[in-house]
Amino acid sequence: PSAASHRRVREHTHMPLSLSLATLSLAFPLRAPPLPPRARVVASAASDDLSALGFRSAAEAAAEQRLRRSRAEEAAGGACAGPSGPASSVYLVGVGPGDVELLTVKALRLMRDADLVLYDRLISPEVLSMVGPQAAMLYVGKEAGLHTRPQEEIHRLLHLYAHAGKSVVRLKGGDPTVFGRGGEELEYLEARGVPVQIVPGITAASGIAAALRVPLTHRDYADSVRFVTGHARSENSAPVAERYRWEVLSDPSQTLVVYMGLSTLPQFADGLLQAGLDASTPAVAVQDGTTATQRVVAAPLGGLATAVEEASLASPTLVIIGRVVSLLREASAGELAAAAAAAASAAVSEADTLPEPTAAAEEARALLDSLKAGGRLR
């Protein structure tokens, strides 16, 4: 080719990557097929400079072209347009509250077979160690006031990889549809023709209550249980006192479990007290439930917020309120920590028996590292 055309190609291939999700998904194709023989010959015969021209296999080139067209359609107003072709399933997988031994058999199988795994902040290292070596891992965690990726971006990433024919697993702490945004992801993907399978996990309420030997229901203490979230959507500016039907939540014959309620606990407790729930109602707050770092603070409802603040509990903390908490037989911290540590050690030992990482997995991980180093991926 002429020097001018060579320069145009070089300029095109040296353009910085866009931060759009579509381009991000291009950045680390998983186990892409090797270059066809002719391309390998050309590449090996070219100078070192030609390696920067970005050769692609036919499959990679086709995938890139589909994404370019998707971006063009969005720019023209077709925001819902996406890649064409049949999509593989996306698995929304709950991994329980933290104890690796609470994983389901189905969750473990899917984790070991996945091509791409998106995981949250609450997934423990021991659980992640059970993922197969061929998988590329992408952190999409959230915490109050700090979202690594907007939820809309996570939706599109799941969509794009499913249409690329990859086995996509979305790991979520607890159960994916109990305050885990699994329902939002399900709606988004199914509206775009992507099959979704939900794999339930042990929700934090069940797992943590079991670890404390506290039944959520009991014929003598509680005939119902209610799960509520203490964390409102970012656009909800209503004060805590106006968010709930306090007369319903203050029923003394039920067990009330509050997820993500650490920051609003003083206002939440006050709302229950103002609605008539007795200040002496037993309550307990649990940080890092079912793990080696579990911490437990038990106090009557009227003094729970103060006790939690004095203990400096941190997120994630689950709160259980109700007469069933009077049955709490709190094991020693050492006993709980020893049990959780033993489970974690067993999980790591089991993970060590997995096959060695494949070359494709190593390449995917290396590319992820390079993207992170360049600030294109967090």
Side-chain angles (χ1 to χ4, degrees), residues 1 6 9-10 13-14 42-55:
H6 187 99
V9 173
R10 178 186 295 275
T13 56
H14 283 192
V42 172
S44 64
S47 65
D48 291 339
D49 285 347
L50 289 180
S51 64
L53 292 178
F55 284 103

Side-chain angles (χ1 to χ4, degrees), residues 5-238:
S5 63
H6 187 99
R7 184 168 57 254
R8 283 195 299 272
V9 173
R10 178 186 295 275
E11 289 171 352
H12 173 73
T13 56
H14 283 192
M15 290 174 65
L17 285 174
S18 165
L19 292 181
S20 72
L21 235 185
T23 306
L24 175 63
S25 69
L26 287 178
F28 46 101
L30 305 180
R31 291 191 290 179
L35 291 173
R38 183 177 179 184
R40 288 200 297 269
V41 171
V42 172
S44 64
S47 65
D48 291 339
D49 285 347
L50 289 180
S51 64
L53 292 178
F55 284 103
R56 297 286 190 268
S57 69
E60 289 172 320
E64 289 184 4
Q65 194 71 348
R66 283 195 298 270
L67 292 170
R68 290 189 189 99
R69 291 182 179 180
S70 174
R71 292 197 300 271
E73 289 171 358
E74 289 181 9
C80 292
S84 59
S88 58
S89 293
V90 170
Y91 298 90
L92 307 180
V93 178
V95 299
D99 182 350
V100 69
E101 290 190 318
L102 296 180
L103 275 172
T104 65
V105 174
K106 187 170 187 178
L108 183 59
R109 175 178 61 80
L110 291 169
M111 288 164 57
R112 289 186 169 178
D113 292 343
D115 292 321
L116 176 68
V117 174
L118 294 84
Y119 62 99
D120 286 339
R121 178 177 67 95
L122 300 181
I123 310 300
S124 70
E126 293 77 24
V127 169
L128 290 180
S129 72
M130 308 303 287
V131 175
Q134 78 287 342
M137 311 288 291
L138 185 60
Y139 177 71
V140 292
K142 299 179 177 64
E143 54 188 301
L146 179 63
H147 283 196
T148 299
R149 298 186 189 282
Q151 186 63 36
E152 294 75 15
E153 188 174 330
I154 296 172
H155 288 169
R156 292 211 56 222
L157 188 58
L158 292 169
H159 181 213
L160 290 168
Y161 266 89
H163 274 284
K166 303 301 179 184
S167 173
V168 183
V169 169
R170 173 78 160 103
L171 292 184
K172 290 177 175 288
D175 184 275
T177 59
V178 179
F179 305 125
R181 305 192 188 212
E184 298 172 35
E185 293 169 359
L186 172 69
E187 284 186 306
Y188 180 93
L189 293 169
E190 287 194 335
R192 289 154 180 80
V194 177
V196 179
Q197 294 191 37
I198 297 176
V199 180
I202 295 177
T203 189
S206 297
I208 292 173
L212 296 179
R213 303 167 176 84
V214 171
L216 290 175
T217 62
H218 189 294
R219 289 191 298 175
D220 295 332
Y221 298 96
D223 55 20
S224 65
V225 59
R226 184 180 294 270
F227 298 166
V228 297
T229 175
H231 176 70
R233 296 178 66 136
S234 57
E235 62 268 25
N236 185 351
S237 59

